[in-house]
């Protein structure tokens, strides 16, 4: 039977009819041909998208009040953005290496990815430190508060990703894994990293242009 | 006549085989379908008492843990409401201070809506029923599921801890509107509110873990032959509610995070320029309306997060205990999905008096009335299911019938309040209290009780005591009307809500004062009747009458497990294979009045469903 049906096709089935029953008896009980973990990551990404969208809505609403003073963007933020782009790029490469089962490249890739992600987080903290030294505190203007808030939430998402990266890496180093599982884990981590890059680009763009 | 029917059906079967394109891998005559075409789920096996009963990864145990925690918290909410009612009826006794009254109102609201009903319907019934009804061994991510419960428990503990901090719990009302919620003068404006906000954030985090499990289990771990449209409506209700929750709770999270920062760091996300106690505060330019929008963008879907599982459960209870297939199954599913989608476009009807543009209000009044259409369809379908059905007045059925009446009642007053012009004068009166307690308090609770009476044998293997159940039902049902009907009247007379004392005002008639005493006595009795229920739970779990297997003769998979209560892994050696939907009751030609989902067509060759 056809695997992917549109939601309207599914909703218009008449499960009580004998003709439909014959089709249905053949159904294997899965709605999508994807793994549970992949659907899980996609659901998490959907929820995070809603969270960030609502923050952006709040940002755009609050921006219109007279007391809004735009913040400068330190040059280090550009560096951090570049680090995150490289991070995504290397994750993509690691994923390709995993598909080819090239263990040395996978190991190097996982290391690089982790180092870059921590470098990004460190860079963000340095940006915070610089801004605070210049007197841009969260309380002094709401634009600053939004900056700290959005970077924190984004950073926490990255830390969550790093938790799963850490689990995958330690499993890989111990050699205690099935190749197909490892490929899948790396693929999912890569998807999540790309997602966080897009979120960061949107947030950075938002703060850059306002 | 039967021959004619058989001929017709044979002819039909032929057309299907001839058409050929309907299925690729099977023929019309196929009956047995192998169970294992894909590897069975890897199941976690616990090895110690702790991992079996406490840190359990089995969804059934997690569901029970959720239910106990939620009901325990709900009892605290019940006691709070008793205290408030005593204060309202006998203000002379000075039972509560004004500030305590507000704290109790706030905690009562938040506990009942989120920590009792949301947790019970999704965490409790969701965990218990989803894997069993879908024919899965366990949830998709059992470990995450366990963490979800413990995070929920942490949220409850943080919430209850706020009773013991200096200043007490927050008294800002369950909507927690800034600026007053974090401005001095409001009870619990320093520590209480922060604990409340943190607790909500923790709850959302825990719920997201659980919700991920519910939807992915329902999408990907169903038994063979279980299409989405063969799922019982309970699953559809919980599924849609979970999707709503995953999309709506982020709004609460965002609002809570920003309000916490306003409170702790002194940022001005929501806090406007204001003068408090003659002093200008450091806040500047924030927008309190933004919080209201965020809160209600969560808050209205929240109503349906509670209502949709209730709708689903009630559909199954009615169908099983009336021995008839649910009228308009597809329409019921469409209504659930439609209500879910529409629920994101009605939130500002909670904000008619917030000073927003009246045109904006008219938009939301329109969407509010539109959402009444699928809701009414559901009510009609329940009534039509009952029409000429073989109604068994069992306890679950009694609660189901009471639910329909109560839900219609609360729904009708909702149509009043959904209109801007009617809402504006009524919105600050007891009419609103009566409305939402009917539709969101009593109605879902009746479902909870009906569901517990229905599924108790599945959990414990014993029946709940019928006599105690009947007493519990009649006191709860009639008593809640004695509580909330007079409140509608009080609302029309203009008694304001949120007042801790209706003093001897010339604008308040003496009848309302008497009514207040009456309502309070009714509330005390109804509350006490719940003790009968709790006693029944404990007594029947230990010494109740042993239930036979599938005591209600239901079709859905949770009753078809090899042992009852179902053991670890739910379905024994082989996962079930599903051959029909869950509503084959009284099928013409069948020898019994029900055909479980696992019965293949060959065993009931005479039974045929009419083509529609």
């Amino acid at each position: 039977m056809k695997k992917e049906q549109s939601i309207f096709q599914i909703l218009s089935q008449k499960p009580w009819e004998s003709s439909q029953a014959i089709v249905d008896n053949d159904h294997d009980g899965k709605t999508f041909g994807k793994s549970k973990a992949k659907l899980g990551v996609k659901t998490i990404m959907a929820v995070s998208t809603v969270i960030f969208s609502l923050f952006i809505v709040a940002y755009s609403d609050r921006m219109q009040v007279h007391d809004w003073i735009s913040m400068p963007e330190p040059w280090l933020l550009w560096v951090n953005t570049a680090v995150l782009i490289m991070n995504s790029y290397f994750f993509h490469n690691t994923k390709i290496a995993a598909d080819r089962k090239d263990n040395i490249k996978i190991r190097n890739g996982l290391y690089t990815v982790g180092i870059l992600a921590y470098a990004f987080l460190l860079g963000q903290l340095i940006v915070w430190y610089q801004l605070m030294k210049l007197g841009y505190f969260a309380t002094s203007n709401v634009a600053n508060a939004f900056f700290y808030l959005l970077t924190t939430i984004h950073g926490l998402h990255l830390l969550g990703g790093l938790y799963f990266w850490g689990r995958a890496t330690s499993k890989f180093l111990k050699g205690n894994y099935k190749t197909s599982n490892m490929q899948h884990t790396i693929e999912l981590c890569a998807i999540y990293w790309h997602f966080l890059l897009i979120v960061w680009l949107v947030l950075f763009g938002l703060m850059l242009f306002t | 006549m039967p021959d004619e029917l058989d001929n017709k059906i044979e002819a039909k079967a032929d057309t299907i085989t001839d058409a050929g394109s309907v299925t690729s891998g099977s023929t019309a005559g196929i009956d047995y379908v192998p169970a294992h075409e894909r590897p069975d789920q890897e199941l976690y096996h616990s090895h110690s008492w702790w991992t079996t009963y406490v840190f359990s990864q089995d969804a059934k145990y997690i569901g029970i843990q959720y239910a106990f925690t939620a009901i325990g918290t709900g009892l605290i909410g019940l006691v709070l409401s008793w205290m408030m009612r005593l204060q309202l009826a006998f203000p002379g006794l000075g039972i509560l201070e004004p500030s305590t009254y507000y704290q109790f109102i706030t905690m009562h609201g938040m506990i009942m809506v989120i920590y009792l009903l949301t947790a019970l319907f999704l965490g409790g019934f969701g965990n218990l029923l989803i894997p069993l009804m879908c024919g899965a061994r366990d949830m998709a991510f059992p470990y995450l599921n366990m963490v979800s419960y413990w995070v929920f428990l942490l949220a409850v503990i943080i919430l209850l801890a706020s009773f013991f901090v200096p200043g007490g719990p927050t008294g800002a009302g369950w909507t927690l509107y800034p600026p007053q919620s974090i401005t001095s003068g409001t009870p619990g404006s320093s520590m209480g509110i922060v604990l409340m906000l943190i607790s909500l954030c923790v709850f959302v985090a825990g719920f997201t873990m659980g919700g991920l499990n519910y939807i992915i289990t329902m999408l990907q771990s169903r038994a063979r032959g279980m299409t989405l449209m063969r799922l019982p409506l309970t699953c559809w209700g919980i599924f849609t509610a979970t999707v709503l929750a995953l999309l709506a709770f982020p709004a609460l999270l965002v609002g809570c995070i920003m309000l916490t920062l306003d409170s702790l760091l002194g940022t001005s996300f929501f806090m406007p320029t204001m003068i408090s106690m003659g002093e200008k505060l450091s806040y500047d330019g924030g927008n309190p309306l933004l919080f209201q929008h965020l809160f209600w963008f969560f808050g209205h879907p929240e109503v349906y997060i509670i209502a949709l599982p209730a709708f689903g459960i009630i559909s199954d209870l009615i169908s099983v205990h009336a021995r008839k297939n649910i009228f308009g199954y597809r329409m019921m599913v469409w209504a659930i999905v439609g209500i879910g989608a529409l629920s994101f476009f009605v939130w500002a009807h909670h904000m008619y008096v917030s000073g927003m543009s009246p045109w904006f209000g008219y938009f939301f009044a329109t969407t509010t009335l539109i959402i009444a259409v699928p809701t009414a369809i559901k009510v009609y379908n329940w009534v039509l299911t009952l029409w000429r059905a073989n109604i068994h007045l069992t306890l679950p059925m009694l609660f189901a019938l009471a639910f329909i009446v109560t839900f219609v009642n609360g729904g009708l007053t909702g149509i009043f309040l959904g209109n801007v012009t009617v809402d504006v004068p009524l919105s600050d009166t007891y009419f609103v209290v009566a409305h939402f307690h009917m539709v969101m308090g009593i109605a879902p609770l009746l479902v909870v009780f009906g569901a517990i009476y229905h599924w108790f044998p599945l959990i414990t293997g014993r029946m709940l005591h019928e006599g105690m159940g009947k007493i519990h039902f009649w006191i709860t049902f009639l008593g809640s009307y004695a509580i909330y009907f007079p409140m509608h009247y009080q609302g029309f007379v203009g008694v304001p809500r949120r007042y801790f004392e209706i003093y001897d005002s010339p604008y308040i008639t003496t009848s309302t004062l008497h009514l207040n005493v009456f309502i309070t006595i009714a509330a005390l009795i109804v509350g006490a009747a719940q003790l009968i229920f709790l006693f029944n739970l404990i007594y029947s779990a230990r010494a109740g009458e042993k239930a036979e297997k599938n005591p209600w003769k239901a079709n859905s998979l949770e009753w078809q497990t090899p042992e009852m209560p179902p053991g670890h892994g739910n379905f024994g050696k082989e996962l079930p294979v599903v051959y029909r939907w869950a509503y084959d009751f009284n099928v013409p030609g069948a020898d019994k009045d029900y055909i479980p989902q696992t019965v293949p067509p060959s065993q009931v060759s005479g039974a045929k469903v009419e083509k529609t």
Side-chain angles (χ1 to χ4, degrees), chain A residues 30-102:
Chain A
K30 280 176 136 189
T31 315
F32 300 105
K34 294 191 180 89
S35 77
K36 289 173 194 165
K38 193 166 194 176
L39 279 174
V41 171
K42 293 207 161 168
T43 314
I44 291 280
M45 278 162 32
V47 173
S48 299
T49 309
V50 178
I51 293 178
F52 283 110
S53 313
L54 287 165
F55 273 124
I56 291 170
V57 168
Y59 185 96
S60 342
D61 177 272
R62 186 66 182 79
M63 206 176 78
Q64 290 159 10
V65 183
H66 59 93
D67 67 331
W68 184 275
I69 305 168
S70 290
M71 241 173 79
E73 280 79 25
W75 58 269
L76 193 54
L77 272 183
W78 289 97
V79 177
N80 287 348
T81 310
V83 169
L84 203 60
I85 291 173
M86 270 156 58
N87 204 343
S88 245
Y89 170 75
F90 278 110
F91 229 134
H92 185 66
N93 276 355
T94 316
K95 194 215 150 224
I96 292 173
D99 288 344
R100 292 183 188 148
K101 305 188 179 94
D102 186 342

Side-chain angles (χ1 to χ4, degrees), chain A residues 124-139:
Chain A
Q124 297 286 73
L125 287 176
I126 296 173
V127 171
W128 278 20
Y129 176 73
Q130 287 180 341
L131 284 171
M132 284 190 214
K133 235 172 59 178
L134 292 171
Y136 291 98
F137 294 106
T139 37

Side-chain angles (χ1 to χ4, degrees), chain B residues 114-266:
Chain B
I114 293 186
Y115 298 85
L116 171 65
L117 286 171
T118 308
L120 190 54
F121 272 123
L122 297 179
F125 290 117
N127 272 310
L128 188 67
L129 295 176
I130 289 168
L132 283 164
M133 280 187 160
C134 294
R137 296 220 179 271
D138 205 330
M139 285 288 185
F141 312 111
Y143 183 79
L144 202 62
N145 205 21
M146 175 189 77
V147 178
S148 149
Y149 167 73
W150 290 100
V151 174
F152 165 65
L153 185 66
L154 178 69
V156 170
I157 291 170
I158 296 174
L159 179 83
L160 297 182
S162 72
F163 276 105
F164 305 101
V165 294
T170 173
W174 87 282
T175 52
L176 310 176
Y177 284 175
Q180 45 97 7
S181 61
I182 59 171
T183 309
S184 63
T186 308
S189 62
S190 56
M191 291 190 73
I193 182 76
V194 172
L195 283 181
M196 167 69 87
L197 294 169
I198 291 173
S199 169
L200 287 173
C201 292
V202 172
F203 179 89
V204 173
F207 178 79
T208 308
M209 298 177 204
L212 209 62
N213 261 307
Y214 312 150
I215 58 169
I216 291 174
T217 308
M218 274 187 271
L219 285 175
Q220 296 299 81
S221 305
R222 301 191 305 274
R224 195 172 167 76
M226 182 65 103
T227 59
L228 282 174
M229 291 303 272
R230 275 178 172 180
L231 282 174
L233 285 166
T234 301
C235 283
W236 271 103
I238 294 177
F239 178 78
T240 317
T242 309
V243 174
L244 290 193
L246 286 176
L247 298 177
F249 274 125
L252 181 68
L253 184 76
V254 167
C256 284
I257 291 175
M258 283 161 56
L259 192 55
T260 313
L261 293 178
D262 275 5
S263 169
L264 288 181
L265 295 184

